[in-house]
Amino acid sequence: MDEKILQDIKDALMRGDREGVARFTRAALDAGMSIPNILDKGLISGMETIGKKFKNNEVFIPEVLISAKAMHAGMALIEPHFLKCGIKPVGKVVIGTVKGDLHDIGKNIVSMMLKGACFEVEDFGIDVPTEKFIESIRKGGVDILALSSLLTTSMNSMRDTIKALKEAGLRDKVKVIIGGAPVTQEFADSIEADCYAKDAAVAVDKAKELLKR
Ligand code: B1M
């Protein structure tokens, strides 16, 4: 039964069927299925398959975009289940997809899970100019700057952001965590990020660790 609903979510996402994704995600929630299960084995799994098809030229940008919108419909239903904190935030995170990059699905999952772990999250969205990040750190009160990149080309914007923090004399004011499909620990070390997280769950664990440093 659970496997069937997860497969239904995945199939609807791959068809770009927004209403279907919403309907099956709701059914999964109503059936009491766990959020990580719905996310990993339904929504993310569907998006990964679309990614493979895109790479093999079996689907193209319009189909990917429609599936991404369907993914958002599912995530919108899941998000309220993460937001059950109701207590003082453990820390503040500013998050965004770096300049030159329009991918936001992974970043949104990281953002949602950080909120679920009781972080206050200010999400700057996609294609965020370096100056906007710098300005927010300059204002103060931000513990962690979280940068997402899905393109090998936009990874350089992460480097630029850390360089700009140093030039502005703000590098010691904030911890920087980076992630996204092309990002590696080696790259994080090379740009002197405080840490790298391979997925959203690890990002939450590492963000908690960073608060203690
Ligand atoms: Co694009 N795209 N895309 N795309 N797209 C990729 C990334 C690509 C790998 C596809 C491919 O060729 N196989 C490829 C990049 C190649 C490269 O750079 N090496 C690519 C390309 C080339 C492009 C365009 C250039 C295509 C074109 O125009 N010719 C273009 C670029 C536009 C731009 O950004 N300037 C483009 C456009 C698009 C769409 C707009 C159509 C759409 C994005 C819609 C949206 O995000 N709202 C899109 C999509 C959906 C994808 C794929 C298919 C799926 C990405 C995704 O959402 N994955 C992707 C192929 C793939 O990844 N297999 C592809 C699901 C998501 C849950 O995973 O984002 O990896 P992910 O997030 C994970 C982890 O990475 C991590 O946690 C998340 C969850 O656990 N994580 C973090 C992410 N951020 C983190 C931050 C952290 C920590 C962890 O700390 C701060």
Side-chain angles (χ1 to χ4, degrees):
M1 165 74 173
D2 284 7
E3 292 307 315
K4 163 90 172 73
I5 300 183
L6 292 171
Q7 190 61 44
D8 285 342
I9 294 175
K10 202 174 152 179
D11 290 344
L13 192 136
M14 290 191 294
R15 286 196 306 275
D17 173 2
R18 248 177 122 139
E19 281 177 20
V21 169
R23 188 168 68 253
F24 295 124
T25 303
R26 212 173 285 116
L29 290 168
D30 290 347
M33 289 168 61
S34 84
I35 304 288
N37 217 11
I38 301 172
L39 202 52
D40 290 341
K41 298 196 179 139
L43 295 166
I44 294 181
S45 170
M47 208 61 220
E48 276 170 2
T49 308
I50 284 290
K52 284 184 195 134
K53 286 178 181 260
F54 182 46
K55 196 173 179 184
N56 296 334
N57 292 323
E58 291 168 48
V59 298
F60 299 94
I61 295 280
E63 289 100 317
V64 177
L65 206 48
I66 292 168
S67 288
K69 287 195 172 144
M71 172 106 185
H72 282 135
M75 280 170 57
L77 292 169
I78 282 180
E79 180 154 25
H81 294 264
F82 275 96
L83 311 180
K84 286 181 180 153
C85 274
I87 52 168
K88 198 170 168 284
V90 293
K92 178 167 177 179
V93 180
V94 160
I95 192 168
T97 302
V98 293
K99 190 168 169 51
D101 198 323
L102 307 178
H103 297 84
D104 69 355
I105 295 173
K107 184 264 298 167
N108 290 347
I109 294 174
V110 174
S111 172
M112 187 167 79
M113 289 184 62
L114 284 168
K115 286 181 198 163
C118 301
F119 281 88
E120 178 188 352
V121 179
E122 191 170 0
D123 189 339
F124 285 169
I126 53 174
D127 193 17
V128 182
T130 298
E131 307 75 52
K132 186 163 179 179
F133 287 128
I134 303 300
E135 211 32 57
S136 71
I137 308 306
R138 199 189 304 281
K139 278 187 196 149
V142 180
D143 301 295
I144 296 172
L145 179 59
L147 306 174
S148 177
S149 157
L150 263 283
L151 299 173
T152 41
T153 46
S154 70
M155 283 163 72
N156 286 323
S157 301
M158 293 177 152
R159 187 191 304 278
D160 294 345
T161 305
I162 292 183
K163 193 163 165 254
L165 276 174
K166 285 185 193 155
E167 285 167 2
L170 297 167
R171 185 62 189 90
D172 62 341
K173 301 279 179 239
V174 70
K175 303 287 185 205
V176 182
I177 178 167
I178 66 172
V183 179
T184 60
Q185 181 65 55
E186 203 180 9
F187 178 72
D189 293 341
S190 78
I191 65 169
E192 296 177 28
D194 294 289
C195 78
Y196 155 71
K198 75 172 174 53
D199 61 30
V202 174
V204 170
D205 289 344
K206 296 222 171 163
K208 286 180 186 164
E209 269 172 45
L210 284 177
L211 288 183
K212 293 182 199 147
R213 281 200 211 160

